[in-house]
């Protein structure tokens, strides 16, 4: 493989929302990498060179509203249907007919929904941290409003435009450092401490973030990269994903209970609330992910699995990809 093919290159491609910025490395079958909140394409920095060396075309995008991708002004421009079509647009712009899609956090939900709605494009799906739960069930806002008793769940906290922005944007770097630390295995609050996924009434999420120490996976330069992007763009585009969950519930009603049938992979952290709260979703995989090839819960790992445990995740990804039909 040429040196050029092994370097990360950057460009933007057209999408229904304007443009999607992509980082690309390697040649071969396309693997589309979709980040979560609050990150960017950079969250896949450890995976891209390994996938390229293994013979894949690794493409990590900035989700609509993040980084160098377009950030439409309308709140409802961030509904799941639009993000799925952005993924399809990237595949087509790259001259490909199909892709494997891999996502982390919100990216996992975007990846799973992409596979559900456009199975002719997305031939396999890898999910990191957030398990697949089929569309349907109670209205999301009702579920989240009922969580926490006198405390407020972070998804509910994010709903009011401007509220979370007022907490985050005066000190983006400090807020991100605390948020990343709160969900990392080596820096998360100890059992019994106030849960950073909730805000006390009248308080902020940041009140419960650990302070003074970065998690081992996050260097000062890495934090600078993330903070620099959100200082430039603001966080409204990222937060608008949360503000469309009821719209998604309505938009996807026809897929109530539908399984994702393509070959799939799940990797979660044993210390991640996404894994523990949604343990029932993982147990339901024989019905909801009938094409599941392998499922892995990493001991001693928090939420940021591909950054906390890059070597292990890289091995699991490449082993899984090797099982897929060419």
């Amino acid at each position: 493989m040429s040196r050029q093919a092994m370097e990360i290159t950057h460009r933007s491609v057209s999408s229904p929302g304007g443009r999607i910025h992509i980082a690309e490395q390697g040649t071969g079958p396309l693997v589309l990498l979709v980040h979560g909140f609050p990150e960017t394409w950079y969250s896949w920095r450890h995976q891209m060179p390994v996938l390229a060396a293994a013979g894949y075309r690794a493409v990590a995008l900035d989700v609509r509203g993040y980084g160098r991708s377009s950030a439409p002004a309308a709140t409802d421009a961030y509904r799941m249907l639009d993000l799925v079509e952005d993924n399809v647009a990237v595949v087509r712009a790259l001259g490909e007919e199909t892709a494997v899609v891999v996502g982390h956090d919100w990216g996992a939900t975007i990846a799973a929904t992409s596979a559900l709605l456009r199975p002719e494009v997305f031939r396999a799906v890898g999910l990191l941290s957030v398990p697949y739960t089929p569309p349907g069930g109670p209205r999301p806002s009702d579920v989240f409003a009922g969580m926490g008793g006198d405390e407020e769940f972070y998804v509910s906290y994010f709903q009011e435009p401007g509220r979370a922005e007022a907490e985050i944007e005066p000190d983006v770097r400090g807020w991100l450092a605390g948020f990343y630390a709160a969900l990392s295995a080596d820096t998360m609050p100890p059992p019994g401490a106030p849960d950073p996924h909730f805000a006390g009434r009248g308080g902020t999420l940041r009140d419960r973030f650990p302070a003074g120490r970065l998690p081992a996976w996050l260097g000062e330069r890495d934090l600078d990269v993330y903070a620099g992007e959100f200082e430039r763009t603001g966080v409204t585009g990222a937060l608008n994903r949360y503000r469309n969950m009821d719209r998604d519930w309505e938009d996807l009603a026809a897929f109530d209970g539908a399984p994702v049938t393509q070959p799939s992979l799940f990797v979660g952290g044993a210390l991640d609330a996404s894994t523990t709260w949604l343990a029932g979703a993982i147990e339901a995989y024989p019905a909801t992910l009938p094409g599941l090839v392998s499922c892995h819960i990493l001991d001693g790992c928090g939420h940021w699995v591909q950054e906390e445990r890059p070597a292990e995740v890289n091995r699991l990804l490449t082993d899984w990809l090797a099982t897929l039909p060419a």
Side-chain angles (χ1 to χ4, degrees):
M1 185 178 293
S2 69
R3 179 179 176 183
Q4 183 177 8
M6 291 300 293
E7 294 176 347
I8 294 178
T9 60
H10 295 265
R11 57 184 167 121
S12 293
V13 300
S14 296
S15 73
R19 71 182 182 280
I20 294 294
H21 164 251
I22 60 172
E24 183 174 4
Q25 188 171 17
T27 59
L30 175 60
V31 180
L32 186 65
L33 303 167
V34 188
H35 68 82
F37 176 88
E39 299 191 283
T40 66
W41 76 269
Y42 188 74
S43 70
W44 301 104
R45 63 195 177 280
H46 302 300
Q47 284 67 54
M48 294 183 68
V50 173
L51 293 175
Y56 297 97
R57 185 182 189 184
V59 174
L61 54 79
D62 283 338
V63 172
R64 179 186 298 211
Y66 288 83
R68 288 177 251 174
S69 292
S70 292
T75 300
D76 66 358
Y78 297 84
R79 61 209 311 155
M80 187 61 70
L81 294 179
D82 292 325
L83 302 183
V84 169
E85 288 310 305
D86 284 343
N87 284 353
V88 173
V90 169
V91 174
R92 298 292 186 242
L94 293 170
E96 303 285 355
E97 294 297 321
T98 63
V100 175
V101 61
V102 179
H104 170 256
D105 183 78
W106 260 123
T109 305
I110 297 168
T113 311
S114 297
L116 177 66
L117 300 187
R118 300 298 298 269
E120 79 284 6
V121 177
F122 300 103
R123 62 188 182 92
V125 58
L127 308 177
L128 306 187
S129 295
V130 174
Y132 175 61
T133 55
R139 183 179 292 271
S141 59
D142 295 338
V143 174
F144 300 132
M147 296 176 65
D150 291 335
E151 300 179 332
E152 188 174 14
F153 191 49
Y154 77 101
V155 177
S156 298
Y157 184 88
F158 285 165
Q159 294 305 303
E160 180 185 344
R163 182 186 182 194
E165 287 91 332
E167 174 185 341
I168 299 169
E169 291 182 350
D171 178 20
V172 169
R173 194 177 192 278
W175 193 92
L176 289 175
F179 189 77
Y180 296 145
L183 305 186
S184 297
D186 59 333
T187 48
M188 63 176 53
D195 191 334
H197 294 89
F198 295 85
R201 294 297 175 184
T204 67
L205 291 172
R206 187 172 184 164
D207 294 339
R208 297 183 174 184
F209 292 169
R213 185 162 70 97
L214 294 181
W217 63 267
L218 184 69
E220 294 286 351
R221 179 184 175 278
D222 300 318
L223 181 57
D224 286 343
V225 171
Y226 284 130
E229 289 293 76
F230 288 106
E231 287 167 350
R232 180 175 58 80
T233 65
V235 295
T236 296
L239 291 167
N240 279 345
R241 173 80 292 273
Y242 292 92
R243 296 165 183 162
N244 278 277
M245 296 179 76
D246 281 354
R247 291 186 182 94
D248 298 338
W249 181 76
E250 295 169 354
D251 289 341
L252 299 173
F255 294 88
D256 189 355
V260 170
T261 60
Q262 294 95 314
S264 56
L265 166 75
F266 178 75
V267 182
L271 301 180
D272 183 7
S274 298
T275 301
T276 56
W277 287 344
L278 294 173
I282 297 172
E283 293 171 1
Y285 278 170
T288 61
L289 285 179
L292 185 68
V293 173
S294 59
C295 178
H296 309 270
I297 307 298
L298 307 185
D299 290 338
C301 185
H303 182 66
W304 318 101
V305 290
Q306 77 269 34
E307 294 170 282
E308 291 188 52
R309 303 280 276 275
E312 195 165 358
V313 170
N314 289 345
R315 178 180 60 79
L316 294 173
L317 279 174
T318 53
D319 286 353
W320 170 66
L321 289 167
T323 70
L324 303 178

